[in-house]
Amino acid sequence: MGKSIIVFDGECNLCNGVIGWLIRLAPHNVFELVPFQSPKGHDILLAQGFPTEELTTVILVDELGYHTHSDGFLRIVEKIPKWRLVANVLAYVPLIIRDTLYNLASKNRVKWFGKSKACFISF
């Protein structure tokens, strides 16, 4: 597999902020960024049985498969050389704690950060 695919909510300001951070820090050609609202994003969600109306987790598709929630986010961060150590340390936090915090942020992301009318990545 070539690039790892990140499926994200293209209308979420928090998600777009994280994607902007990845664009600045990740090595070129590591990620393909796919808003779930795009035809490709929709196809990926359908193929894996995810709901297509709303995305509640980032999805990373890489050589090892599909990764969601805090595991998906840590696998994304791990692919950025300068942040690999941080991701590896955070991986020691028990999954139930990581996912509880991730889900709290996911449920409140629009309330806390707002929603855009369009994704800054064209699709």
Side-chain angles (χ1 to χ4, degrees), residues 5-118:
I5 299 170
I6 298 174
V7 181
F8 68 100
D9 183 347
E11 295 176 353
C12 166
N13 287 337
L14 174 61
C15 303
N16 281 320
V18 171
I19 294 300
W21 176 78
L22 289 172
I23 289 170
R24 287 188 308 277
L25 294 178
H28 186 64
N29 290 326
V30 170
F31 298 117
E32 178 180 352
L33 305 170
V34 179
F36 92 90
Q37 294 92 343
S38 70
K40 183 170 185 169
H42 190 82
D43 290 346
I44 291 170
L45 295 178
L46 281 175
Q48 292 301 309
F50 289 103
T52 57
E53 304 79 37
E54 180 182 30
L55 190 65
T56 60
T57 180
V58 67
I59 301 170
L60 174 71
V61 185
D62 66 9
E63 65 280 354
L64 298 177
Y66 287 74
H67 313 278
T68 62
H69 298 86
S70 66
D71 279 344
F73 183 73
L74 288 181
R75 287 191 62 80
I76 290 167
V77 173
E78 182 182 53
K79 294 177 185 286
I80 303 170
K82 290 182 178 181
W83 286 83
R84 187 169 291 134
L85 179 61
V86 173
N88 290 333
V89 168
L90 289 174
Y92 284 103
V93 174
L95 181 64
I96 191 155
I97 294 171
R98 285 189 283 122
D99 276 353
T100 297
L101 293 172
Y102 184 95
N103 290 332
L104 176 67
S106 176
K107 287 178 185 168
N108 291 292
R109 61 196 166 93
V110 173
K111 181 168 60 170
W112 293 344
F113 298 96
K115 188 172 183 173
S116 300
K117 294 198 183 287

